[in-house]
């Protein structure tokens, strides 16, 4: 999914490629400004990626190697400023990294804060593959990852006996891309914005869509949908006044508008006089409680069956629904029982907060 977004947003002359040894990242040669990566919605983070054919990290503190790292740091700072940095690396508390930290501080003025540094520098062993050079990587959460930068041959011989060298990845900006600036109010169990953006892409973005977000929580799905493109109408429904207050603040910070309704989607009946109109929505987005913070496994069947019924009652002919849940077995059982309401078009397994929830793309029957 991120591959498609990278091609669409960054328009690279060469298609993104998988990062060797990883199943959650892409690399791409970025032909335009580095700041363009900030427009990606399905990427968790973006990194300027450098490869060094050196046997030990100590070599990174010398001459040209250090200069390349400093240049990458400045490239990140030009996109979004940081006041401090930290390493994410095995042995980051060693004398070698202490020396590298001192040199980077002298060159950039940034403070080395091992615990909470804003600008992240990952240092790790390179992949055992031929080729190398400077790359740039955009990282994502299992379902979504990609990158931006340059690539080239460096003359390394193929074979397992060749030392893989070291990679240095400098994150673009002081925060991951998934940490949205519009999220001004936190709410327990809020959906990851990267997953929400992926759900929006799966559901499709149409200017004339009438969008309904059941169990909208703090507004993540609504914000991502409305930032992706205009909609004819957008309505969010949740039983929690606290959640709706958070959604109201976050939507305002995102500079988008939606109608927020306080109602229990499991017991309320949509209709002309109800909390939302029956048969009037083209896209229904749902994030039922599954993290344990707002729900429990014992009630999962009732919740998932009920929300599928409510979504279908609100759906117009030909409508789509996108649902994310960690209760995979429960959801699939409920979908079998609701086969007269919804058909499954696609599924996507993602990673979030130690869980592996699944996204379901449904079509109204």
């Amino acid at each position: 999914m991120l591959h498609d977004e990278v091609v669409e947003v960054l328009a690279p002359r060469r298609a993104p490629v998988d990062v060797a040894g990883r199943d959650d990242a892409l690399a791409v040669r970025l032909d335009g400004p580095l700041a363009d990566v900030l427009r990606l919605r399905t990427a968790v983070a973006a990194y300027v990626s450098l490869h060094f054919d050196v046997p030990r990290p100590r070599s990174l503190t010398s001459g040209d190697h250090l200069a390349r790292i400093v240049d990458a740091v400045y490239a990140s700072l030009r996109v979004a400023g940081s006041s401090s940095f930290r390493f994410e690396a095995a042995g980051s508390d060693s004398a070698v990294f202490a020396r590298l930290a001192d040199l980077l501080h002298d060159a950039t003025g940034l403070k080395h804060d091992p615990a909470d540094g804003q600008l992240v520098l990952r240092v790790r062993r390179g992949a055992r593959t031929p080729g190398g050079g400077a790359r740039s990587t955009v990282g994502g959460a299992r379902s979504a990852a990609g990158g931006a930068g340059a690539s080239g041959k460096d003359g390394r011989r193929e074979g397992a006996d060749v030392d893989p060298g070291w990679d240095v990845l400098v994150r673009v900006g002081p925060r991951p891309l998934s940490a949205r600036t519009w999220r001004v109010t936190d709410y327990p169990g809020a959906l990851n914005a990267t997953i929400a953006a992926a759900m929006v892409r799966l559901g499709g973005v149409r200017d004339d869509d009438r969008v309904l977000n059941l169990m909208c929580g703090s507004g993540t799905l609504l914000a991502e949908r409305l930032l992706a493109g205009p909609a004819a109408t957008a309505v969010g429904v949740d039983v929690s006044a606290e959640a709706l207050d958070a959604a109201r603040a976050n939507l305002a910070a995102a500079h988008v508008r939606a109608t927020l309704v306080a109602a229990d989607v499991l017991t309320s009946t949509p209709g002309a006089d109800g909390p939302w109109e029956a048969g009037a929505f083209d896209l229904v987005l749902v994030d039922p409680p599954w993290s344990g913070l707002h729900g429990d496994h014992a009630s999962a069947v009732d919740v998932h069956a009920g929300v599928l019924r409510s979504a279908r009652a609100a759906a117009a002919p030909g409508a789509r629904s996108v649902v994310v849940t960690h209760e995979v077995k429960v959801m699939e059982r409920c979908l079998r029982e609701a086969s007269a309401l919804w058909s499954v078009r696609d599924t996507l397994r993602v990673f979030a907060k130690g869980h592996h929830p699944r996204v379901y793309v449904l079509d109204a029957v």
Side-chain angles (χ1 to χ4, degrees), residues 95-364:
V96 170
F97 279 95
R99 173 61 175 161
L100 183 57
D102 289 342
L103 292 171
L104 288 176
H105 168 72
D106 292 342
T108 65
L110 297 177
K111 176 186 176 183
H112 179 220
D113 184 341
D116 300 311
Q118 295 177 326
L119 186 63
V120 173
L121 288 84
R122 290 184 172 178
V123 182
R124 65 190 187 197
R125 282 298 246 169
R128 291 187 177 275
T129 58
R135 296 178 298 275
S136 172
T137 302
V138 182
R142 299 297 180 189
S143 61
S151 63
K153 296 292 184 181
D154 61 5
R156 284 189 293 165
R157 294 180 294 108
E158 295 188 33
D161 59 329
V162 177
D163 190 286
W166 291 83
D167 291 334
V168 177
L169 285 75
V170 181
R171 192 171 71 192
V172 180
R175 307 191 329 162
L177 299 181
S178 58
R180 304 295 203 244
T181 55
W182 56 255
R183 195 184 293 281
V184 295
T185 302
D186 288 327
Y187 186 72
L191 182 64
N192 177 284
T194 302
I195 295 175
M199 292 174 64
V200 167
R201 289 182 69 87
L202 286 168
V205 178
R206 304 172 187 172
D207 293 357
D208 59 350
D209 267 347
R210 297 161 296 176
V211 179
L212 175 65
N213 183 190
L214 298 178
M215 299 181 170
C216 67
S218 56
T220 303
L221 278 165
L222 281 173
E224 289 299 314
R225 169 58 188 85
L226 294 172
L227 288 170
T233 58
V235 177
V237 182
D238 203 284
V239 69
S240 167
E242 182 183 0
L244 293 175
D245 286 343
R248 197 168 289 110
N250 289 332
L251 293 171
H255 305 291
V256 295
R257 292 184 178 182
T259 300
L260 299 178
V261 177
D264 186 343
V265 303
L266 302 180
T267 59
S268 300
T269 302
D273 299 322
W276 64 92
E277 191 175 349
F281 294 93
D282 308 296
L283 176 64
V284 184
L285 302 170
V286 190
D287 175 23
W290 49 264
S291 66
L293 293 173
H294 303 290
D296 56 76
H297 182 71
S299 63
V301 171
D302 290 339
V303 169
H304 287 69
V307 81
L308 287 173
R309 288 193 299 269
S310 294
R312 185 61 186 89
R320 305 97 64 202
S321 181
V322 187
V323 185
V324 60
T325 180
H326 183 250
E327 295 280 0
V328 174
K329 292 183 178 179
V330 168
M331 180 63 170
E332 293 185 349
R333 168 187 164 184
C334 290
L335 283 170
R336 287 192 298 270
E337 295 174 352
S339 60
L341 304 178
W342 297 102
S343 64
V344 180
R345 183 201 310 173
D346 199 3
T347 62
L348 177 68
R349 184 173 181 265
V350 294
F351 178 81
K353 302 176 182 176
H355 297 285
H356 291 85
R358 193 162 298 176
V359 176
Y360 294 84
V361 185
L362 311 176
D363 293 309

